[in-house]
Amino acid sequence: MAAIKIKLEKKELEIKKGASGLDILKDNPHDGAIAMKLDGKLVDLTTTLDKSAAIEFVTSKDDEGKEVIKHSAAHIMAQAIKKLYPEAEPTIGPAIDTGFYYDFDNLKIQQEDLPKIEKEMKKIIHDKLPFTRKVVPLKEALEMFKNKYKKEIIKELTDKDVSTYKQGDFVDLCRGPHVPHTGYVKAIKLTKLAGAYWRGDSNNVMLTRVYGVAFASKDELNEYVKLLEEAEKRDHKKIGKQMDLFSFHEEAAGVPFFHPKGSIIYNELLNFIRDEYFKRDYGEVVTPTILKNTMWKQSGHWDHYREDMYFTKIDKQDYGLKPMNCPAAILIYKNSTKSYRQLPLRYADCGFIHRNELSGVLNGLFRVRRFIQDDCHHFVTPDQMGEEIKELIDFVKYVYKDVFDFEFHVELSTKPDKAMGDDKLWEQAEGALGLAMKEVKLPFTINPGDGAFYGPKLDFHIKDALGRSWQCGTIQVDFQMPERFDLNYEGPDGTKHRPVIIHRTIIGSVERFMGVLLEHTAGRLPLWLSPVQVRIMPIADRHLDYAKGVLEELKKQGVRVDMDDRTETIGKKVRDAQLHKVPIMLTLGDKELEAKTLAARTLDGKLKFGIKTADFVNAVKQNIEEKKVSVSF
Amino acid sequence: MAAIKIKLEKKELEIKKGASGLDILKDNPHDGAIAMKLDGKLVDLTTTLDKSAAIEFVTSKDDEGKEVIKHSAAHIMAQAIKKLYPEAEPTIGPAIDTGFYYDFDNLKIQQEDLPKIEKEMKKIIHDKLPFTRKVVPLKEALEMFKNKYKKEIIKELTDKDVSTYKQGDFVDLCRGPHVPHTGYVKAIKLTKLAGAYWRGDSNNVMLTRVYGVAFASKDELNEYVKLLEEAEKRDHKKIGKQMDLFSFHEEAAGVPFFHPKGSIIYNELLNFIRDEYFKRDYGEVVTPTILKNTMWKQSGHWDHYREDMYFTKIDKQDYGLKPMNCPAAILIYKNSTKSYRQLPLRYADCGFIHRNELSGVLNGLFRVRRFIQDDCHHFVTPDQMGEEIKELIDFVKYVYKDVFDFEFHVELSTKPDKAMGDDKLWEQAEGALGLAMKEVKLPFTINPGDGAFYGPKLDFHIKDALGRSWQCGTIQVDFQMPERFDLNYEGPDGTKHRPVIIHRTIIGSVERFMGVLLEHTAGRLPLWLSPVQVRIMPIADRHLDYAKGVLEELKKQGVRVDMDDRTETIGKKVRDAQLHKVPIMLTLGDKELEAKTLAARTLDGKLKFGIKTADFVNAVKQNIEEKKVSVSF
């Protein structure tokens, strides 16, 4: 048999033509290998090599390897479900960030049925059934699959062949790759059930979606379960209830009703961002909630975003509730002639925007139907673009790192399929974003096809205390809207020029950011964001007058303070304050009354006695002003 | 002829039966009398007296007298128009606050035609045609009036007779009273044309409305014209453009687009009211913009307010955009059990509300389709109601008088025709409002039938620099919604009780209040509200560095400051700053640079030299903090 040359990392191997990745592994062991890259393309380890090539092994530690495991687990689950519920019809089952899911028609099960399915999956895993790939002509595939959903998918394919994967008696239409056999999936867990429309379209039939997670080791699963428990404890919906921050009501599903304490956090976040606007020479604009459809057509939202919008009628004309603030900022820009001397012009908008999220994906403050974004539209000359983006990245860093102490990473998202404008402008805009990132010396990854419909973007993802990643900020460069709305400025040469728009948010949806902060801190917000900053606890009735005086003084100084003057033990009062995450408790008894001092206790148990009120006020005000992450005296 | 006794003010007269008010005036002259009250009822001076009674003369200085003049002028205008345009069909023509109008069908005229009509009216006035009243049976009236609008009105009457008034050849259906003859109307002016639907219903035909003013003397008209010119100069739409505060766009008719400078004023007004909330123990809530129609049905808005609302669909269900915040506050109240210890509970809401105003009545910031009200819902026990209302009146006084230096008056509006709930609760609520007003010793008038559909209210009207009155604040007592939503609190006795809701706003629509302030001050806002508080003007380039240092220092201290560093004369820079109503100008030249001082000039022309920067900062910050109405050093 002929030999071929294989480049494996730094080595050059000579192997028999027709050998597979698994064969190569025998002589060249690679810990945890579960798939490989053949000239850069991810394929099965069982793929046979018939010409010289470069290969790289992919392990379960790699992101791509994790995805292969999750995807193989989805097939295993489908096999198990078909065994237990033969009438169920599999539709599609991808790997997702958090694990995998598979959607079935004709599957009527409850949460209680999941362990039974898990048990069946474990049997399949124990049997180490090989995944075998077979490429078949479309016509043959149509005969192979009786299931109407699979047939619908096959009919839409344009290649002449399609790949299928089989393990045991289960065959699926699948691009692959997969692990060599089911035994590679060492640990699985089914997490939840949900309803999902076929192809996400509410006009279609509602399917049953089963979610799960899968790992290459038991340890990873255990770690995941622990994280889940911790996340469960930190669930912002739970904390929101405990701290009396907000509630949801079926009268307006998907929109939080912020209670007084929640509104404080919400408004403080907005105030913070507005203070930064003042420092950084931004102007705020206040714009309508409802605007005419003719404008949404001009902006491109009608073509690209209509399904996510709500509509109404005024004077028999069609109007849409704004899902974004850009066109309103543009109307203000156009309201008078602009000169290059006025640029950059920055119009920040803290208006409510509405987006028609499906009821199935609504999730506390994380996914809502109405929210405020700390967004801003920067109108700049092409020359100013680079500098403005760099300043913006600096602003983002300041907010994430200096104020909230979050780690973050950056992704550059490029032109999506559903985009407007010509390729040259897209390249120019993508180039500007990439260049700015290089100049500020921040690493970033590329996220192909995930840009906004009007331009590419930098996305900023923060990492919370549980290691979870949240996309918050975004900087988007837009050459399209200035064209569509015929925007101009008068240049130094006295003629008209086209400005560039930079769309951007830093904290993103204020609702969502508040949810992230609540989970990140487990409700122990920094002092400046705490709804109640100080709680006063007189020990006995005879300390009440003194306590009231302290309360008045603190309030006069702008501190959010309340008093627990119930006839309860101090122990009980402290526990209550801890439950409500009050950062500072002042216990006032005989000693304090006599010396006119305060005894303070922080939420993390630090104690300090004999503080003078004035010193306390100064320390608290300084902590608030400097937006410190923790409290100390 | 028999004699009857007439009580005239403090006198007792004996007159012939059948004598008229005019007859009595011969022996008992009363300056400016144009109508009279017969046992309290306003009637014509020509009314004959056939039994003993008390009469009072009404003059053109009295509000009721002014109304008679305006109403008579409406008839005179109708007569003039019928003469000039015989095909025009008069419909209705009442007196209104600002003058009078008359709506005509089949009248096609332009603004340019008004002088011609005025001229014809003056002829009629010169002819001193008597107004003669005639009461006729409905059947006869139907024959008298060929006009279909008059016929429609007559058909809806339930009395057996109807009164008509005739002057010259013009007869109108009219309750009266009128002046004795057309010569009493000494001065008239037609002001504008507008379209108006018959009976205000957009399904009906569009009529032509002609507006005018009328007075008992030329002086009053001249004064009115002067006021009009002054108001024209102070038009907030004009000032808004000059100061670059806001614009309106047909993409969202009736909703202002606030530019950066306008947004500052808007946000400062909201910040001011929020600071007061903090001091006065209010909680703010943030609630959805769109809520289900089922809820609007429960709240009564569907029945009583539907026509003023916008609607949309979400998940195929019917939703309405909130025209008021009350039901959302109620849902938060109901979210958990409330104890009497927690009351009063005050939920302020600064959310945007939408109301479907007809496009014809939209008027700058005065009448808009979306606005924020500084509204709040107070949940109180019935016992707390009186005290809470008194505190609220105090809050209103503080805002109007102490902060904005407005005079104001109060009206108590009672049960309207279109109301819900039983009479007993209405009486109780009306009583509580009246009692509170008496206890705080503020005078008030009664405005019958003008309450909200859920309860009576106190309306607060401020008086601006031109003497015009603006309804802003309102305090409404509501027993209905607590019933409809089954609201409870646990009393000291451990059982459930029904709270009372007080709905209230102080500045009212923030948009409208901003418009009033701009006209009241002619754009010369107090320092704390000024978009640019200080403008720095270096005299020559060599002063630029020093000027920049001052600018940075002021900005660091939170002062809104900008710089005019164009190469223009100081005179030109000062004029520009005055046009933009910048309250403080700092001119910096050699003297200032050398001594490191500032030279300040206020908008009203006060000058001060040699001020140290620190002293200036302190003075400015103090003025802002104390929200002073004017600037001084």
Side-chain angles (χ1 to χ4, degrees), chain B residues 249-262:
Chain B
H249 300 264
E250 66 95 23
E251 286 82 354
V255 184
F257 288 63
F258 286 110
H259 298 191
K261 284 177 181 162

Side-chain angles (χ1 to χ4, degrees), chain B residues 64-78:
Chain B
E64 285 164 314
K66 287 186 175 132
E67 200 166 321
V68 170
I69 292 203
K70 293 186 277 190
H71 192 183
S72 297
H75 280 231
I76 294 170
M77 178 172 77

Side-chain angles (χ1 to χ4, degrees), chain B residues 4-125:
Chain B
I4 51 173
K5 280 186 184 151
I6 294 296
K7 195 165 177 277
L8 174 66
E9 278 137 39
K10 279 165 191 166
K11 290 185 282 186
E12 280 267 6
L13 311 175
E14 195 147 310
I15 62 162
K16 269 191 261 174
K17 188 174 169 181
S20 72
L22 283 176
D23 295 331
I24 296 172
L25 275 171
K26 283 174 200 153
D27 295 325
N28 303 276
H30 190 105
D31 211 25
I34 56 161
M36 65 179 174
K37 281 193 170 176
L38 178 59
D39 287 337
K41 197 184 160 225
L42 194 68
V43 297
D44 301 317
L45 281 180
T46 52
T47 307
T48 52
L49 305 164
D50 51 10
K51 59 176 190 215
S52 298
I55 66 166
E56 241 178 296
F57 290 113
V58 171
T59 79
S60 59
K61 304 277 178 228
D62 303 322
D63 284 347
E64 285 164 314
K66 287 186 175 132
E67 200 166 321
V68 170
I69 292 203
K70 293 186 277 190
H71 192 183
S72 297
H75 280 231
I76 294 170
M77 178 172 77
Q79 183 183 359
I81 285 176
K82 277 300 282 181
K83 171 115 194 249
L84 295 169
Y85 309 94
E87 68 288 1
E89 291 193 86
T91 64
I92 57 158
I96 54 173
D97 268 10
T98 53
F100 63 88
Y101 68 78
Y102 212 117
D103 288 346
F104 292 87
D105 193 7
N106 210 18
L107 176 64
K108 304 275 167 283
I109 54 170
Q110 308 295 323
Q111 189 76 23
E112 303 84 71
D113 300 317
L114 297 184
K116 192 167 65 184
I117 301 171
E118 275 177 12
K119 203 172 154 195
E120 191 60 38
M121 287 174 75
K122 283 175 190 164
K123 270 193 224 156
I124 297 168
I125 288 168

Side-chain angles (χ1 to χ4, degrees), chain B residues 517-578:
Chain B
L517 272 183
L518 286 173
E519 302 208 352
H520 175 64
T521 62
R524 294 158 176 253
L525 295 168
L527 194 61
W528 67 277
L529 278 176
S530 293
V532 178
Q533 294 167 321
V534 177
R535 174 161 296 169
I536 297 176
M537 306 170 177
I539 291 177
D541 278 356
R542 64 183 178 280
H543 311 122
L544 201 58
D545 280 347
Y546 176 54
K548 277 182 188 160
V550 173
L551 181 128
E552 282 313 313
E553 178 56 23
L554 289 178
K555 205 179 152 191
K556 222 174 74 186
Q557 299 286 340
V559 179
R560 294 188 293 266
V561 54
D562 67 9
M563 178 148 75
D564 185 350
D565 58 1
R566 294 173 301 166
T567 50
E568 296 280 0
T569 63
I570 280 293
K572 166 95 169 93
K573 289 184 185 184
V574 166
R575 280 193 303 279
D576 273 7
Q578 284 166 339

Side-chain angles (χ1 to χ4, degrees), chain A residues 384-419:
Chain A
Q384 292 168 336
M385 188 169 53
E387 204 49 45
E388 192 73 5
I389 296 171
K390 281 193 281 176
E391 269 180 38
L392 274 173
I393 297 171
D394 185 70
F395 190 177
V396 173
K397 265 166 74 180
Y398 171 75
V399 173
Y400 291 174
K401 203 67 210 76
D402 298 354
V403 177
F404 291 104
D405 200 23
F406 276 121
E407 296 300 330
F408 69 96
H409 77 270
V410 191
E411 289 176 10
L412 169 56
S413 295
T414 60
K415 193 180 181 205
D417 295 338
K418 211 177 162 188

Side-chain angles (χ1 to χ4, degrees), chain A residues 250-251 258-260 263 267 278-279 281 284-289 292 311-312 315 335 369-370 555, chain B residues 250-251 257-260 263 267 278-279 281 284-287 289 292 311-312 315 335 369-370 555:
Chain A
E250 66 95 23
E251 284 83 353
F258 286 110
H259 298 192
S263 300
N267 284 338
F278 177 74
K279 289 182 204 156
D281 292 325
E284 185 175 334
V285 297
V286 178
T287 64
T289 306
K292 270 191 190 162
F311 297 98
T312 190
D315 288 350
N335 188 57
R369 284 177 170 163
R370 188 200 69 173
K555 206 179 150 190
Chain B
E250 66 95 23
E251 286 82 354
F257 288 63
F258 286 110
H259 298 191
S263 300
N267 284 337
F278 176 74
K279 289 182 203 155
D281 291 325
E284 184 175 335
V285 296
V286 178
T287 63
T289 306
K292 270 191 190 161
F311 296 97
T312 190
D315 289 348
N335 187 57
R369 284 177 169 162
R370 188 199 69 173
K555 205 179 152 191

Side-chain angles (χ1 to χ4, degrees), chain A residues 9 22 25 28-36 42 45 56-66 68-69 178-180 184-186 215-217 220:
Chain A
E9 278 135 41
L22 281 176
L25 274 171
N28 302 277
H30 191 107
D31 210 28
I34 56 160
M36 64 180 175
L42 195 66
L45 281 180
E56 240 180 296
F57 289 112
V58 170
T59 77
S60 58
K61 302 280 177 225
D62 303 322
D63 284 348
E64 286 165 313
K66 284 185 177 134
V68 171
I69 292 200
H178 282 283
V179 292
Y184 276 72
V185 180
K186 301 275 188 229
F215 302 94
S217 74
E220 281 173 85

